[in-house]
Structures are given as structure tokens and as C-alpha cells.
Amino acid sequence: DAGITQSPRHKVTETGTPVTLRCHQTENHRYMYWYRQDPGHGLRLIHYSYGVKDTDKGEVSDGYSVSRSKTEDFLLTLESATSSQTSVYFCAISEGTSEAFFGQGTRLTVV
Amino acid sequence: QKEVEQDPGPLSVPEGAIVSLNCTYSNSAFQYFMWYRQYSRKGPELLMYTYSSGNKEDGRFTAQVDKSSKYISLFIRDSQPSDSATYLCAMSGEYGNKLVFGAGTILRVKS
């Protein structure tokens, strides 16, 4: 793996609770991304960051927020988890050449 | 209509067969094209990366891009059971821009 660590790897949470997923990189890449993967949909972009404190929305950003206070860390927060947010979440990094490298994923279940 | 269309399969072939995986897209601004391989419960790993039209070969893998037809392909020669995985096409239009993924094709190579 390209120096990307996601935590936690698995989480079960209750509807309505806040959840934060963490992505940590050791590659000093400028761009960081959060994707979710669901059967039949492939990978869909939630939010991405192009620098410290610089973030933008992807195609499925509703219900999610992100923060990037350091180059190496990109946090994804579900303010009030819903069952529709049960998914596998992947963090990715890129140095802007459009090749993205992925973490191992976080499996989130909202009950 | 999705920006990137990919047949989800599953595609089942005997060991040693030539495999052809394909994606079509609608956005003529796409310039960077990638193929990722994803094993079950793992993150996607980059297989091939091409810029604009043309062919690129790496071992048993060949990627083709036809921008005039908005069509990309991945060929796997002498397929092995270890090639059994989900193959995702991805593409982007600009430097550092977000990737758009196909839904992924499940490939099964039978020994």
C-alpha cells in the first residue's frame, strides 16, 4: 500500500450518532479523497481535498463533512448516521497526475 | 445516464483465456484513463494508467483507449485464477481532478 492508513477498519454504530473516519498518509501527497463503494455503483466521490483546509464536494456529499488540518490527515464525519450510509469507505491520495492510490477501506454499518 | 458505463458481469473464463474488459464514457473532456483491480475486501490497486488515446502494454495486460469512440479496454492474456477480482475503470479530465469510476466488472478465472 502507498502509505495510507484508514481507521477504524470496521465500525458498527446506531442511527443518529456521529461518526468520524480517519485517513492518514505518509506520502506527502497534495490531494486526498473519500469515496464510498456500494454494490452496483462502483466508487462514488464524497469529498476531496486539494490542500490543507482546502476541500470540495463530490457527487454524494449530502450528510458528510470533512476536515484537513494537516497534510497527512483527512477526516470524514457523518454528523448523524443513517442506514443509507452503511457502506465501505475508501480514502485515496494523489499527487495530481490523476493516478490515485487507495487505502484498505473502512466497513461501516449503521443499525 | 452515468458518465462511465461498465458491464458488471460476472465474466467467467477458463484459465489461459484472453479476457476483454470494457468501459464507455460520455464526457469528451476525459484525458486520463486507469484500470484498477480489487480483490474481495481489499482496496483498489492501480493496474494501468494511460493518457489520451493509444495502447499501453505491461506484461500480460494491455490497455487501449479510443477517444473518438469514447471507449476503453483492458486485455488480459493467459488469464490465471489469481486474476479473479473486480476490475474498475476510472478516468478524469484535468490535472489533480477527481476520478470517475465505472461500476466494476467481476472476473472469475476457472482452473
Side-chain angles (χ1 to χ4, degrees):
Chain A
D1 297 329
I4 309 169
T5 304
Q6 291 186 230
S7 59
R9 293 292 312 279
H10 302 272
K11 186 170 183 65
V12 180
T13 192
E14 293 186 350
T15 299
T17 60
V19 177
T20 295
L21 309 182
R22 180 178 182 241
C23 178
H24 178 78
Q25 63 149 327
T26 58
E27 306 295 323
N28 201 36
H29 281 6
R30 179 181 175 190
Y31 297 86
M32 298 186 75
Y33 311 81
W34 277 107
Y35 286 86
R36 61 177 289 174
Q37 187 173 35
D38 305 287
H41 291 279
L43 287 152
R44 293 182 292 174
L45 183 65
I46 305 170
H47 282 281
Y48 67 104
S49 169
Y50 45 95
V52 173
K53 298 187 179 179
D54 292 322
T55 64
D56 204 352
K57 296 178 180 180
E59 64 175 300
V60 290
S61 60
D62 287 348
Y64 301 95
S65 62
V66 291
S67 66
R68 191 172 179 195
S69 59
K70 297 184 290 185
T71 299
E72 57 266 34
D73 290 325
F74 193 32
L75 303 180
L76 176 71
T77 297
L78 290 66
E79 300 292 346
S80 178
T82 68
S83 59
S84 65
Q85 293 176 313
T86 292
S87 186
V88 181
Y89 292 85
F90 287 101
C91 174
I93 63 173
S94 167
E95 193 47 12
T97 58
S98 295
E99 299 169 272
F101 300 94
F102 285 81
Q104 289 300 296
T106 295
R107 191 170 295 270
L108 177 68
T109 302
V110 183
V111 298
Chain B
Q1 184 186 4
K2 295 181 180 179
E3 274 192 293
V4 180
E5 297 281 356
Q6 183 176 10
D7 187 337
L11 178 62
S12 186
V13 301
E15 183 176 356
I18 296 175
V19 176
S20 173
L21 304 167
N22 312 292
C23 288
T24 59
Y25 62 95
S26 57
N27 189 342
S28 58
F30 288 145
Q31 298 182 62
Y32 300 89
F33 304 91
M34 281 137 279
W35 286 94
Y36 286 83
R37 177 176 62 195
Q38 185 177 24
Y39 292 113
S40 180
R41 295 183 175 268
K42 298 290 187 181
E45 56 177 324
L46 183 66
L47 265 182
M48 300 288 283
Y49 168 62
T50 55
Y51 171 71
S52 195
S53 286
N55 294 359
K56 184 174 182 179
E57 187 173 323
D58 184 2
R60 297 185 294 113
F61 299 90
T62 299
Q64 288 185 351
V65 175
D66 182 349
K67 291 187 69 179
S68 63
S69 301
K70 297 188 178 66
Y71 188 87
I72 70 170
S73 300
L74 177 71
F75 297 95
I76 307 174
R77 291 181 298 280
D78 187 26
S79 56
Q80 303 295 311
S82 58
D83 294 326
S84 298
T86 298
Y87 289 80
L88 299 135
C89 64
M91 46 199 80
S92 71
E94 298 174 10
Y95 183 90
N97 202 0
K98 52 190 182 292
L99 291 175
V100 179
F101 282 84
T105 299
I106 298 170
L107 172 66
R108 295 175 183 151
V109 182
K110 299 175 292 184
S111 58

